[in-house]
Amino acid sequence: MLWTAFDALDDIADGDVQTRWPGFDPSELGVMASALLATTAHVIAHSLHDSPEVQAQLHLWIARGLGEMADGQIEDLDNARSSDVTSGRVFSSVAGKTGGECALFAGLGAVLARVSPERQRCFARLGFEYGMANQFVSDLAELSADPHRRDIRNGTRTLPLVWHVEMLERPARDAFVTLLESARRDAAAAERVREALLVSPAYRRAVLQVILHLGRARTALAESASSGPAAAQLAAFLDDVHPFGGR
Amino acid sequence: MSQEAVATLMDRWTNEPGFKDEFRKDPHGTIVAHGISLTPEEEAAVNSMDWTGSHEELAQRVSKMMAS
């Protein structure tokens, strides 16, 4: 429910309501998402009939997680309005928005499993690193698979795009930034941006970044000292999402 | 994380004649020979990446990751 609420708010912010939520208008969706965010923590805590200590931890994790996600979302919106976004700002935004989201969900699972706070942090780190990897894969996949070129048309400053800009020297950099602005209104310009990014070394570097985050997720899993079938399943999952098969 | 070292690696991959071929044959040796100091986790990531594939093959792998 938390994921659905935040996903809806993200779609409102990105102007994707018509394509992702046909039949809803943004104001209806905003009310629905706000209600879910305001009530879910209480419903979860109440329905699990858990100890007051676990319930308090759940509330704290959700409050902290939502705060980080909101920070990341605001940075993301700010980046979309700016023509001078650095890769550092992209990392910061993704860390809050997607890393924070997956850290929250993994951390909540660990709280409910009643593991120690230290192991809760390991699982949250696993979730965070997986979330970072997943966001960058999504950004890369959208370049090759999204026929609507939504990221480019919405002005979303993704990691491969920003790295591509940072790798260019002037005047090529200025020309590409101008092309990016045109791409928000012009489908042909959006296609030219996409073609440039698909063959850019920034694309390969972003794949390498995905692998780095998956490696860190593996390290976090090892440090959680988990064993048994569930740990093996998590390790196998990280290998499955690795672009070259993991270990 | 030393983003600069990875940036240097990619810069040489893109701009330095012969670097790509040298790197594809021997990633570790090339990194050492060119004085690029990656962290152990960066080097592990570099070693688990296939540097021989084309842009198209890489994009196909990414699409499969998204589907999995």
Side-chain angles (χ1 to χ4, degrees):
Chain A
M1 286 195 287
L2 289 172
W3 183 85
T4 302
F6 225 82
D7 197 43
L9 291 174
D10 187 45
D11 289 334
I12 293 168
D14 291 345
D16 288 337
V17 173
Q18 280 190 337
T19 48
R20 301 280 310 276
W21 302 85
F24 285 87
D25 68 47
S27 51
E28 277 178 322
L29 202 57
V31 170
M32 181 273 287
S34 305
L36 280 177
L37 285 178
T39 57
T40 299
H42 301 284
V43 171
I44 293 172
H46 180 73
S47 61
L48 290 173
H49 303 294
D50 225 315
S51 69
E53 189 189 337
V54 170
Q55 290 194 20
Q57 282 187 39
L58 283 175
H59 280 294
L60 192 60
W61 273 85
I62 291 172
R64 269 198 313 237
L66 291 180
E68 283 172 21
M69 289 159 68
D71 274 352
Q73 181 70 271
I74 287 166
E75 277 188 272
D76 193 41
L77 290 171
D78 195 32
N79 289 349
R81 288 190 290 263
S82 170
S83 61
D84 189 25
V85 178
T86 63
S87 49
R89 283 175 60 179
V90 174
F91 272 107
S92 174
S93 151
V94 174
K97 205 175 126 179
T98 317
E101 182 175 33
C102 293
L104 168 60
F105 297 149
L108 287 178
V111 168
L112 291 172
R114 295 172 184 76
V115 301
S116 68
E118 192 185 334
R119 293 184 71 206
Q120 288 173 16
R121 285 192 288 275
C122 288
F123 284 111
R125 218 169 70 240
L126 188 160
F128 174 84
E129 298 295 349
Y130 169 72
M132 296 292 283
N134 193 50
Q135 181 62 57
F136 296 142
V137 168
S138 165
D139 294 341
L140 289 164
E142 192 153 309
L143 279 176
S144 48
D146 177 16
H148 305 294
R149 319 281 179 245
R150 271 179 300 189
D151 277 348
I152 297 171
R153 302 298 299 269
N154 288 341
T156 308
R157 294 309 193 237
T158 62
L159 187 64
L161 188 151
V162 172
W163 266 343
H164 179 74
V165 172
E166 287 178 346
M167 283 174 170
L168 293 173
E169 301 283 348
R170 289 201 155 86
R173 180 190 288 206
D174 295 335
F176 191 78
V177 170
T178 304
L179 182 65
L180 278 177
E181 285 308 309
S182 308
R184 299 183 76 151
R185 304 174 300 276
D186 175 3
E191 188 56 26
R192 282 171 59 202
V193 168
R194 173 186 169 268
E195 285 168 2
L197 294 179
L198 281 175
V199 299
S200 168
Y203 189 97
R204 196 172 291 267
R205 186 179 172 193
V207 174
L208 183 62
Q209 190 66 35
V210 169
I211 297 173
L212 263 172
H213 288 294
L214 291 175
R216 289 179 192 158
R218 266 285 205 165
T219 303
L221 177 60
E223 288 174 2
S224 75
S226 302
S227 57
Q233 217 168 348
L234 267 176
F237 169 75
L238 292 174
D239 284 346
D240 280 347
V241 296
H242 192 291
F244 302 104
R247 295 185 176 177
Chain B
M1 186 181 68
S2 60
Q3 286 283 347
E4 295 79 12
V6 178
T8 302
L9 170 66
M10 296 314 299
D11 183 53
R12 293 197 168 172
W13 168 273
T14 313
N15 299 314
E16 205 166 295
F19 184 88
K20 206 178 277 185
D21 290 340
E22 194 185 338
F23 187 77
R24 279 175 167 157
K25 281 181 204 150
D26 178 11
H28 177 74
T30 309
I31 287 165
V32 172
H34 287 261
I36 301 169
S37 80
L38 299 174
T39 63
E41 69 169 9
E42 286 169 342
E43 187 145 357
V46 164
N47 289 332
S48 70
M49 177 140 163
D50 178 1
W51 294 86
T52 60
S54 65
H55 298 300
E56 293 76 20
E57 286 165 339
L58 197 58
Q60 279 171 9
R61 281 196 181 269
V62 168
S63 297
K64 278 185 194 161
M65 285 167 78
M66 200 59 211
S68 66

